[in-house]
Amino acid sequence: MQDSFGRDIKYMRISITDRCNLRCKYCMPADGLKNKLTHADILSYDEIIKIVRVAKSLGIEAVRITGGEPLVRKGVPDLVRELSKIVDVSLTTNATLLPKYAMELKNAGLSRINISIDTLDANAYKEITRVGNLDEAIAGLEAVLDAGFDPVKINAVAMKGIKQNYNDFARLTFEKPVHVRFIEYMSIGDIEGKYISEEEIKAQINADLHPVSGPIGSGPAHYYQLDGAKGTIGFITSQSNHFCNTCNRIRLTADGKIRPCLFSDVEYDVRSGNIKDVLENAIKNKPAGHEGKSGTFRHMSQIGG
Ligand code: SAM
Ligand code: SF4
């Protein structure tokens, strides 16, 4: 279905939980969320499947499961198995639970996995995630490659004040067939911060990055490759260079609210009426862009990125 600005809405991000086993500085408060959702607030898998069926009838072709950390919720492979009978299904995760789940997710029909790792330095990883262990995330990455997922993308939020060595990621693209994407930090919730731009990252890598076409499911990222590398380096410039005019997505929160725009707190409750009417209304009212808007009442962990 097209929104009122002629954009074809084909993609839905589905947050299945607001819980997480990490506490990334830019995403969650140190002591976790104050107003966690209750069991009754959270959409059941049956409700999610029903919503996706209706969304498909309106033109949604692909969904991405996210969180919080989606893999802390029980039974994700079962959800993937059902959803992948309806649409293309991918997942975004911090990877720490993938050694347990990667193969099961592959067998359930999951198409692709994006992994969030912001630094390849163990101490810096601990500092950014507050409680995380880099070895566990790397074991998750290995498990995904071993399970045969392709492409495998790594998301790294680029933000001033956190310790990141972009050359470590550049080196990783020679060692493994991974697509690293630097995502500009977005000001959401009450966390202060400033993004690091594509130009600053390229200056640090300081090598010949050739523009290349991205792997399947690239969304708004654009990509480069270093000579002889197995993988690529991409950028998602949501702050310095808005891509609202090509935005094809809506979001479903774990408590059943459709958010037509990440940066707008206008939400449509799927439990408030007929699902088709709610979805149509949300798509019709998707704003043109987020120019001038920043910060929302939710943290990113409650929206899913
Ligand atoms: N827990 C999973 C993970 O970390 O991949 C899925 C949820 S997380 C909210 C989804 C994505 O949003 C991650 O790649 C994360 O790095 C990104 N993210 C979180 N807060 C962000 C922010 N303030 N600005 C930009 N990206 C952010
Ligand atoms: Fe958790 Fe993902 Fe947010 Fe980190 S970015 S706190 S892993 S939801």
Side-chain angles (χ1 to χ4, degrees):
M1 171 178 168
Q2 286 198 338
D3 69 6
S4 42
F5 300 94
R7 294 171 295 195
D8 264 325
I9 308 302
K10 294 182 170 171
Y11 172 61
M12 181 159 74
R13 296 178 69 96
I14 304 175
S15 168
I16 61 167
T17 178
D18 60 342
R19 310 292 155 97
C20 187
N21 54 350
L22 301 184
R23 294 279 177 276
C24 301
K25 278 184 168 177
Y26 51 76
C27 180
M28 265 227 193
D31 44 0
L33 295 172
K34 287 204 175 57
N35 42 357
K36 286 200 196 86
L37 298 176
T38 64
H39 183 69
D41 293 328
I42 293 182
L43 292 175
S44 68
Y45 286 164
D46 282 346
E47 285 178 293
I48 293 173
I49 293 162
K50 212 163 147 190
I51 294 164
V52 170
R53 270 204 198 101
V54 177
K56 160 109 192 236
S57 76
L58 294 175
I60 296 291
E61 296 170 354
V63 302
R64 175 169 293 278
I65 299 174
T66 174
E69 171 45 45
L71 295 178
V72 301
R73 183 160 171 185
K74 284 201 190 105
V76 178
D78 299 330
L79 177 67
V80 168
R81 194 170 299 108
E82 291 311 309
L83 291 182
S84 60
K85 291 176 191 162
I86 311 169
V87 285
D88 177 84
V89 187
S90 55
L91 176 90
T92 296
T93 168
N94 64 32
T96 55
L97 297 171
L98 283 172
K100 179 172 172 202
Y101 283 119
M103 204 61 228
E104 215 183 324
L105 289 166
K106 180 81 184 161
N107 291 336
L110 190 70
S111 297
R112 292 174 303 284
I113 297 192
N114 288 4
I115 285 175
S116 305
I117 302 180
D118 301 321
T119 175
L120 297 172
D121 175 276
N123 291 329
Y125 184 83
K126 178 92 189 190
E127 204 183 315
I128 295 169
T129 60
R130 296 193 180 105
V131 293
N133 176 342
L134 179 66
D135 288 344
E136 289 176 10
I138 297 294
L141 169 62
E142 300 286 357
V144 162
L145 292 168
D146 289 349
F149 282 100
D150 179 37
V152 173
K153 297 178 203 152
I154 297 182
N155 292 341
V157 173
M159 179 180 174
K160 293 209 177 0
I162 61 178
K163 289 182 205 132
Q164 296 171 301
N165 181 342
Y166 305 116
N167 278 307
D168 289 344
F169 287 105
R171 267 190 294 279
L172 186 69
T173 68
F174 285 93
E175 290 160 17
K176 298 186 195 302
V178 292
H179 305 277
V180 178
R181 295 120 49 88
F182 295 110
I183 302 178
E184 291 175 348
Y185 162 76
M186 293 176 257
S187 172
I188 288 279
D190 52 11
I191 298 162
E192 293 290 319
K194 178 89 182 81
Y195 68 83
I196 296 186
S197 70
E198 173 172 344
E199 294 319 314
E200 288 168 271
I201 294 172
K202 282 181 178 161
Q204 196 191 101
I205 293 175
N206 194 20
D208 198 7
L209 286 161
H210 314 292
V212 287
S213 55
I216 184 168
S218 296
H222 56 275
Y223 289 85
Y224 301 86
Q225 193 164 38
L226 291 160
D227 265 345
K230 295 178 185 160
T232 63
I233 295 175
F235 295 89
I236 301 184
T237 57
S238 46
Q239 302 301 286
S240 61
N241 186 12
H242 297 175
F243 31 78
C244 302
N245 58 342
T246 55
C247 182
N248 65 350
R249 59 190 60 187
I250 52 174
R251 292 172 167 81
L252 174 62
T253 64
D255 55 344
K257 309 293 188 312
I258 299 285
R259 284 179 76 99
C261 175
L262 174 62
F263 290 92
S264 167
D265 278 332
V266 179
E267 298 182 341
Y268 299 80
D269 186 349
V270 280
R271 285 167 165 160
S272 69
N274 175 291
I275 297 172
K276 185 159 180 271
D277 293 346
V278 175
L279 281 172
E280 276 177 346
N281 195 26
I283 293 174
K284 213 166 57 204
N285 286 297
K286 185 174 163 69
H290 64 251
E291 201 71 61
K293 290 195 199 106
S294 73
T296 76
F297 77 90
R298 291 187 190 260
H299 283 104
M300 196 67 105
S301 57
Q302 296 168 297
I303 307 174

